[in-house]
Amino acid sequence: MIYLSGSLVTLWFCGLVFLAGRGLNLSRLVLNNLQPGATYFGKGDVKSFTLLGAEFRIQATAIDPSLLTEAGKTYQNRARLNDRIMIAWGAGGFILIGVLFSYLRT
């Protein structure tokens, strides 16, 4: 049974890595589809979080949609959906794996 739970943890983690890579690619696509002459820095919603004192503010979902082309808006919607899926995958998998390990422990 421990192999089953280890395999599920590995699959869950690989899914998170896949979604993170997809999110980075979508962020690149959004930033490559700005209106000509538009800059994104300092505009739009501020969605920052700190990790060990460093701030990360470059997020595709924080850019004002008026600065994007039509393709950029499409990629931004996909990036937002990917963020929601990644949060659901992470939280759901964390809970499911926690329940599985507590069940196997008893």
Side-chain angles (χ1 to χ4, degrees):
M1 273 307 210
I2 194 70
Y3 295 117
L4 173 67
S5 58
S7 299
L8 288 176
V9 169
T10 303
L11 287 174
W12 174 71
F13 185 73
C14 288
L16 279 178
V17 170
F18 171 75
L19 289 170
R22 186 171 184 251
L24 285 173
N25 187 39
L26 287 169
S27 294
R28 178 190 63 84
L29 290 170
V30 168
L31 293 173
N32 284 340
N33 285 297
L34 291 171
Q35 294 282 350
T39 59
Y40 65 91
F41 190 73
K43 297 183 173 117
D45 298 332
V46 176
K47 297 172 96 179
S48 65
F49 59 93
T50 58
L51 181 66
L52 300 175
E55 290 189 5
F56 301 98
R57 290 182 183 237
I58 301 173
Q59 290 183 339
T61 57
I63 297 172
D64 186 18
S66 66
L67 298 174
L68 299 172
T69 61
E70 289 302 317
K73 291 176 186 176
T74 303
Y75 290 131
Q76 187 180 37
N77 290 336
R78 288 183 186 173
R80 285 185 176 140
L81 179 64
N82 188 63
D83 285 350
R84 291 183 195 126
I85 291 171
M86 188 171 170
I87 290 169
W89 180 267
F94 185 74
I95 292 169
L96 183 66
I97 289 170
V99 168
L100 179 68
F101 273 121
S102 68
Y103 173 74
L104 290 177
R105 199 170 141 198
T106 57

